[in-house]
Structures are given as structure tokens and as C-alpha cells.
């Protein structure tokens, strides 16, 4: 697949090439820092964020206010000894404190560790330990999850109303007073470590991905060229994950594009009200959000809405059919990964715009070159032939991934032997126009409601339940969420399941167990109890057999 910024490009292509070059130049300086790129270079009076609360009241934050607030946050963290390379995590809801905290972390040369608020305490503890987190900043509602961790814990947003509900022993108030950190950022350059987060995990524990500052360049380009927002932009994804963190917070700060941030938990009815009340022109969310909004449609008019975007999981054709019928707007699907950023999709920029094709992933965005490699070799697959989706490293200037772990040097099986291509783990075909058509995944990750969930984590929690002897989970298709977790469980005592009621009670008990011990977002919606799991002679679970059983069950329903 030819790069969209090749030298022989059209006049429009040359314009896009210049913009990509400008972004790369901004990020390429040896003296560049995150605070300068994302805040300090913008006019102080320019709007950075519009925070919308559940009652639809609004708090506007300018870059001048963000700068002052982040400098105060940096002072508070510095007083706790936070310095270059230290890991600082947040476990807190969306609101004005979050981007100020993140930027304050980066002013000290420290590294940000995002934690998803739906995680259970044990999942939070695993990630805090794996990242060697020094300080956690949390909300009162999340504080019980971190109360016993061996690191400094700071409490933000502590008010008279919620103070009695939060544990106070061992917590340090995160108070933004009048004192500020105003010194220079102590580390500079595009390879400065910025974010320490984790993949979903498929055959083992989630792997650490440390993003350098240069990684953000691809997200800025994606925002400007892939999303191309005009007047009022809102990304509904949660910033506890890469898609939401970079699309709703980091890329807008870098590009100087105001971003709406809704402070409450996702609510489909409230989402309609936000779109209507604030005249949103550009909306981005996971397919599950659109399905939930479809089910809660209040039949309001949205005359300002112009562009819809989707990412996080494959976009099923029914979503696009509904938005065309209801809103007369196509949803443009985009493809990304924690390791990559957002390298492909159906762009909104007028010089890149293609009509979306159902079940397709779009084309490579400027600054990326993607292709399909044959299944049996590293040769490029023929047009229309199913192969392995790969990023050509030397032709993709936004590509920054070198490996997993703190030192970014564990490559695993992500690259071809010669290092020329990064393998995404997806099976696709590429047509003559360069449009990538999704076929399947060549790993076992489950894409549910925009979250990438590795089966290993859920299985590990299930088998800790005393009633579970063995467990394996796979994806099962779902009309609302795209995919859901389907667990196959071998009970320690089959007699516990005598009767339909007993099986229902066991199912509910295991679902609650996973919610409490892993995450409320990742419990198995469906559980099948079996005598044994299908395995290879070497003892590995045959997930393909389980997926076949799921497919058979779906056929029986029709």
C-alpha cells in the first residue's frame, strides 16, 4: 500500500505532507517538552477545555488557567519528592483536575500512569506494582481501592460533602494552593518518557507500553487530519484508556483545539442532551456508545452535528445504517492500538475523505504506511488476499514503538524477523484502492464496548473462585457491545449445578466475583458450564473450538 504522503502526491497531498512535516518538526527538537507543546505555546486566553457536569453546567478552562493549575499541581507533587522518571498514577473521574494533574506530572519530568476507574482494587494494585508507581492521586469515591497500597496516596476533590465517606488514614490532601512550580522541565526531547500504560494481555499478563513524547505527534495529526474537527469537538471515550486519553485530552491540548469533557459516567440519555445543548459538531466514540444512544433515542434534533467517528472496536454495519437514517451522517471508522496510536481509518479531512465502506478499516493516514503480509511469509499479499496487517517501519514517521517494558526493548513477536514491519495482530485484506478490510484477529483479545480485554486476566480471576476448577474465555457476538466475554467454566463440584436455578445462581456469583476482583467493565456476560475444556496434546486450551461452540449457539438462536 503506497504511502499517502509519497513525493509524487497531488497538490492536496503535498499540503498534507507539509502539515505532517510541521508536526514532526515541532516534536523533533532536542529541547522540546510536553508542557510547551501542550500548553505554554498557546495564547493564555484561548480555550483549552469545556467541562460539562451532569446538570449540564459548564466550566471553561483557558490555557492560562491550565498553565497556572498545572504548575500548582507540580508544586504539590514535587513536595512529595516526585522527580524525573518517577511514575505518578491517577485513579479519578473526569474533571478540571485531571488534565492539570497530568500536565503537572510532565512539568517535573515524571511519567503518567492512567488507571481506569472501573478497575477493581486487585487490578489497580497489579498495575501500580508493575509500573512501580510512587504517587497515586485519587478521588474519595475511588480511595478504598488504593488504601492498602505501598506508595504515597493523595486525595483530590475532597469536600465537606464527601469527606465522611472517604478513608482518611494514610492519605495526603492534594491541595492546589498559591505556590507553584515554575522551573524548567528537567528532561527534554522527543524520546522523553511520557505515559506508562498497559496492553490488554492475551496469553499472559498485560505488557507495559511506555510512550515517548514523539508518540503524541501521530495523535495530533490524527486529530487534525483524521477527525478534522470544526467548531465543537467531543470525544466520549474514557481517558483511562489510550483512545480517550489522547483523543479527548492530549491531542486537543497539543493542537490547540478546544475539547468538551463530560465529567460524569457515561449515560446515553445525557449524551443526547450534551450533543443538543452544546451544539456539538464533531463527536467521536466507540460503536457501543452509538448502540446505547440508539436504544435511548429521545427523538431530538441535532442541527449542528456534522461528523461522527468511531474507534476502539470493529464498527458493525448496523451502526452506520442507523446514523444515516436518523441523522443523515455516516460514521467514519478508525483503527488504532495502544502501541501505535491511530494509523488508519476513513478520514474526515476534505483532501482525504472517502465514503465509509461497511466492515472496512479505512486507509492509512498521512505519516503511516500499512500493508498486508502473506500468512506464510513476509512478502506483501496480493490485492484482496487475506494477510497480516503490518506497519512499514521506515516509511511511517509517526511510528515510535520499539518494544514492551520500561526500557522499550522487549519486542516479542510484534516485528518481522528483519524488523521492517510491525505486526498489529489483525488479519485483513487490502483492495486496489488501499482500503483495508478487516477479516479477524490472529490473537485472542476481546473487543467489548471499546475496551480491549485479554482473556488471561479474566480467566485468572475466575479460577481463584473456590467453585471453579478451570476456565477459558472467548468473544461472543453481541448486538449492543459488539463482543462480550463468554466464559467456559469447569466447576470443582458438578453437583453444585444441579437444576436451572443453581446454575443461574452460580452464574450470578461468578459475574459478581469478576466485577469485584478485576473490573466492572470486564465480567463475563455469558457463562457456559462444561465437564472439561478442549485442549491440545500439550495441554493448551483450544480457543478455536470454544469459538466454534459459541458460533453454534448463535446459529441455534436464529
Amino acid at each position: 500500500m503506497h504511502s499517502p504522503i509519497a513525493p509524487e502526491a497531488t497538490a492536496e497531498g503535498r499540503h498534507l505532507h507539509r502539515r505532517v512535516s510541521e508536526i514532526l518538526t515541532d516534536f523533533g527538537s532536542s529541547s522540546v517538552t510536553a508542557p510547551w507543546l501542550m500548553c505554554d505555546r498557546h495564547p493564555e486566553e484561548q480555550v483549552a477545555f469545556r467541562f460539562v457536569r451532569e446538570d449540564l453546567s459548564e466550566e471553561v478552562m483557558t490555557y492560562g488557567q491550565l498553565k497556572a493549575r498545572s504548575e500548582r499541581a507540580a508544586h504539590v507533587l514535587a513536595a512529595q519528592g516526585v522527580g524525573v522518571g518517577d511514575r505518578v498514577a491517577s485513579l479519578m473521574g473526569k474533571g478540571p483536575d485531571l488534565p492539570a494533574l497530568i500536565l503537572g506530572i510532565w512539568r517535573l519530568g515524571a511519567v503518567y500512569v492512567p488507571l481506569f476507574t472501573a478497575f477493581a482494587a486487585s487490578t489497580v494494585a497489579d498495575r501500580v506494582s508493575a509500573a512501580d508507581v510512587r504517587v497515586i492521586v485519587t478521588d474519595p469515591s475511588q480511595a478504598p481501592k488504593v488504601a492498602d497500597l505501598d506508595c504515597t496516596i493523595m486525595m483530590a476533590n475532597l469536600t465537606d460533602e464527601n469527606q465522611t465517606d472517604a478513608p482518611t488514614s494514610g492519605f495526603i490532601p492534594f491541595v492546589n494552593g498559591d505556590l507553584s512550580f515554575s522551573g524548567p522541565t528537567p528532561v527534554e526531547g522527543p524520546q522523553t518518557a511520557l505515559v506508562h500504560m498497559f496492553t490488554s494481555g492475551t496469553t499472559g499478563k498485560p505488557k507495559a507500553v511506555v510512550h515517548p513524547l514523539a508518540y503524541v505527534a501521530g495523535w495530533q495529526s490524527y486529530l487534525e487530519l483524521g477527525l478534522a474537527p470544526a467548531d465543537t469537538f467531543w470525544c466520549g471515550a474514557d481517558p483511562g484508556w489510550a483512545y480517550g486519553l489522547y483523543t479527548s485530552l492530549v491531542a486537543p491540548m497539543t493542537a490547540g483545539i478546544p475539547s468538551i469533557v463530560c465529567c460524569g459516567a457515561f449515560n446515553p440519555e445525557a449524551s443526547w442532551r450534551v450533543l443538543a445543548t452544546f451544539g456539538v459538531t464533531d463527536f467521536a466514540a466507540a460503536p457501543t456508545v452509538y448502540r446505547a444512544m440508539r436504544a435511548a433515542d429521545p427523538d431530538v434534533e441535532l442541527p449542528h452535528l456534522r461528523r461522527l467517528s468511531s474507534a476502539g472496536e470493529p464498527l458493525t454495519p448496523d451502526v452506520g445504517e442507523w446514523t444515516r437514517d436518523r441523522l443523515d451522517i455516516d460514521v467514519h471508522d478508525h483503527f488504532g492500538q495502544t502501541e501505535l496510536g491511530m494509523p488508519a481509518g476513513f478520514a474526515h479531512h476534505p483532501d482525504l475523505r472517502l465514503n465509509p465502506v461497511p466492515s472496512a478499516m479505512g486507509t492509512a493516514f498521512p505519516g503511516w504506511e500499512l500493508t498486508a503480509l502473506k500468512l506464510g511469509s513476509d512478502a506483501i499479499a496480493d490485492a484482496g488476499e487475506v494477510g497480516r496487517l503490518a506497519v512499514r517501519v521506515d516509511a511511517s514517521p509517526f511510528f515510535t514503538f520499539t518494544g514492551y517494558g520500561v526500557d522499550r526493548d522487549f519486542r516479542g513477536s510484534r516485528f518481522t524477523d528483519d524488523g521492517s514491519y510491525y505486526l498489529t495482530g489483525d488479519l485483513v485484506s487490502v483492495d486496489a484502492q488501499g482500503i483495508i478490510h478487516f477479516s479477524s484477529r490472529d490473537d485472542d483479545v476481546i473487543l467489548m464496548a471499546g475496551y480491549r480485554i485479554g482473556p488471561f486476566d479474566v480467566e485468572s480471576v475466575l479460577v481463584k473462585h473456590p467453585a471453579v476448577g478451570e476456565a477459558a474465555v472467548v468473544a461472543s457476538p453481541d448486538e449492543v457491545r459488539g463482543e462480550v466475554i463468554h466464559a467456559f467454566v469447569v466447576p470443582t463440584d458438578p453437583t453444585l449445578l444441579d437444576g436451572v436455578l443453581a446454575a443461574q445462581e452460580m452464574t450470578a456469583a461468578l459475574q459478581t466475583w469478576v466485577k469485584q476482583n478485576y473490573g466492572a467493565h470486564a465480567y463475563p456476560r455469558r457463562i457456559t458450564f462444561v465437564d472439561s475444556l478442549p485442549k491440545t496434546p500439550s495441554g493448551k486450551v483450544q480457543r478455536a473450538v470454544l469459538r466454534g461452540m459459541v458460533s453454534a449457539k448463535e446459529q441455534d438462536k436464529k
Side-chain angles (χ1 to χ4, degrees):
M1 185 188 306
H2 294 294
S3 168
I5 58 169
E8 65 272 16
T10 62
E12 292 82 2
R14 288 193 292 273
H15 167 72
L16 297 174
H17 177 65
R18 283 195 298 272
R19 184 58 193 138
V20 167
S21 297
E22 289 168 355
I23 293 172
L24 289 167
T25 298
D26 285 343
F27 280 83
S29 168
S30 60
S31 60
V32 72
T33 67
W36 180 82
L37 281 169
M38 300 177 197
C39 181
D40 300 355
R41 65 171 171 167
H42 299 307
E44 289 191 353
E45 69 279 5
Q46 185 174 326
V47 173
F49 294 105
R50 300 169 66 187
F51 296 98
V52 178
R53 306 194 185 282
E54 294 183 21
D55 61 0
L56 297 186
S57 62
E58 178 185 17
E59 179 179 343
V60 174
M61 178 183 284
T62 65
Y63 280 101
Q65 293 167 330
L66 175 61
K67 182 175 187 293
R69 200 158 180 164
S70 67
E71 288 174 342
R72 292 197 298 270
H75 171 78
V76 173
L77 293 172
Q80 298 302 319
V82 173
V84 174
D86 286 334
R87 268 52 177 171
V88 179
S90 76
L91 184 67
M92 54 197 297
K94 295 171 285 184
D97 278 342
L98 185 57
L101 169 66
I102 296 171
L103 200 59
I105 293 168
W106 292 337
R107 289 192 183 280
L108 300 175
V111 181
Y112 175 54
V113 180
L115 296 171
F116 184 39
T117 53
F119 279 150
S122 59
T123 309
V124 171
D126 286 344
R127 281 157 173 74
V128 167
S129 174
D132 193 19
V133 169
R134 178 166 185 165
V135 174
I136 299 175
V137 182
T138 189
D139 284 331
S141 62
Q142 296 290 324
K145 297 179 182 178
V146 300
D148 297 327
L149 298 183
D150 186 21
C151 59
T152 299
I153 303 169
M154 307 192 74
M155 187 85 75
N157 301 317
L158 190 62
T159 65
D160 292 338
E161 290 76 16
N162 61 30
Q163 187 167 1
T164 57
D165 298 328
T168 56
S169 177
F171 287 82
I172 300 172
F174 192 92
V175 180
N176 285 329
D178 296 329
L179 297 177
S180 298
F181 174 86
S182 58
T185 301
V187 288
E188 302 174 332
Q191 293 307 310
T192 299
L194 202 70
V195 173
H196 186 146
M197 61 195 322
F198 295 87
T199 65
S200 311
T202 54
T203 58
K205 281 189 172 294
K207 296 183 287 292
V209 179
V210 177
H211 295 151
L213 177 57
Y215 174 82
V216 178
W219 283 99
Q220 181 182 348
S221 179
Y222 164 66
L223 181 69
E224 293 185 14
L225 304 180
L227 293 173
D231 299 319
T232 308
F233 170 68
W234 175 28
C235 173
D238 194 285
W241 300 88
Y243 177 36
L245 173 63
Y246 290 101
T247 307
S248 68
L249 299 181
V250 176
M253 283 194 295
T254 309
I257 294 175
S259 175
I260 287 179
V261 177
C262 289
C263 299
F266 169 70
N267 179 294
E269 293 84 2
S271 297
W272 282 104
R273 293 196 297 272
V274 171
L275 290 172
T277 302
F278 293 90
V280 173
T281 58
D282 298 80
F283 181 55
T288 300
V289 169
Y290 290 106
R291 296 188 191 100
M293 292 178 64
R294 177 178 60 188
D297 188 349
D299 199 29
V300 299
E301 295 299 318
L302 301 174
H304 297 93
L305 194 60
R306 295 289 181 268
R307 282 164 289 276
L308 297 173
S309 304
S310 173
E313 57 182 294
L315 180 70
T316 51
D318 62 293
V319 175
E321 292 170 2
W322 170 68
T323 60
R324 283 191 296 273
D325 179 63
R326 172 66 173 85
L327 303 166
D328 196 27
I329 302 174
D330 279 314
V331 181
H332 285 227
D333 198 16
H334 300 147
F335 164 76
Q337 285 187 336
T338 301
E339 295 91 334
L340 293 176
M342 202 71 71
F346 289 99
H348 286 286
H349 192 282
D351 294 339
L352 294 168
R353 187 180 176 93
L354 286 175
N355 290 328
V357 176
S359 302
M361 301 160 70
T363 61
F365 289 139
W368 297 92
E369 184 170 321
L370 278 67
T371 192
L373 301 181
K374 289 181 177 293
L375 297 178
S377 73
D378 292 341
I380 295 176
D382 297 329
E385 177 186 1
V386 173
R388 297 166 294 153
L389 181 61
V391 177
R392 184 179 164 191
V393 174
D394 65 357
S396 301
F398 287 135
F399 181 80
T400 62
F401 180 76
T402 58
Y404 299 103
V406 174
D407 297 324
R408 303 172 59 208
D409 57 0
F410 172 64
R411 295 161 66 94
S413 58
R414 279 304 194 185
F415 291 84
T416 55
D417 290 341
D418 64 0
S420 297
Y421 291 94
Y422 166 88
L423 304 172
T424 69
D426 297 278
L427 300 182
V428 302
S429 62
V430 183
D431 65 23
Q433 290 183 281
I435 297 176
I436 307 165
H437 298 262
F438 180 75
S439 176
S440 64
R441 292 184 304 280
D442 65 0
D443 57 26
D444 297 310
V445 73
I446 300 165
L447 298 177
M448 184 184 72
Y451 306 125
R452 296 176 66 88
I453 302 167
F456 178 83
D457 288 323
V458 182
E459 292 166 356
S460 298
V461 172
L462 281 170
V463 297
K464 290 179 181 178
H465 192 284
V468 176
E470 290 185 288
V473 304
V474 295
S476 181
D478 182 81
E479 183 176 346
V480 174
R481 297 175 180 85
E483 291 181 341
V484 295
I485 298 171
H486 190 138
F488 288 82
V489 171
V490 179
T492 54
D493 182 0
T495 62
L496 294 173
L497 302 175
D498 288 344
V500 174
L501 181 59
Q504 291 174 342
E505 291 175 348
M506 181 63 74
T507 295
L510 294 180
Q511 289 173 332
T512 299
W513 177 263
V514 174
K515 290 179 185 178
Q516 293 176 342
N517 293 280
Y518 178 59
H521 69 299
Y523 71 92
R525 259 71 176 185
R526 299 166 191 166
I527 298 179
T528 299
F529 296 100
V530 293
D531 295 330
S532 62
L533 298 176
K535 297 180 180 179
T536 65
S538 63
K540 293 183 179 180
V541 174
Q542 294 177 305
R543 298 185 194 276
V545 174
L546 297 178
R547 284 192 286 265
M549 294 168 63
V550 169
S551 297
K553 286 177 179 289
E554 292 300 315
Q555 289 298 322
D556 289 342
K557 294 178 183 178
K558 298 179 179 179

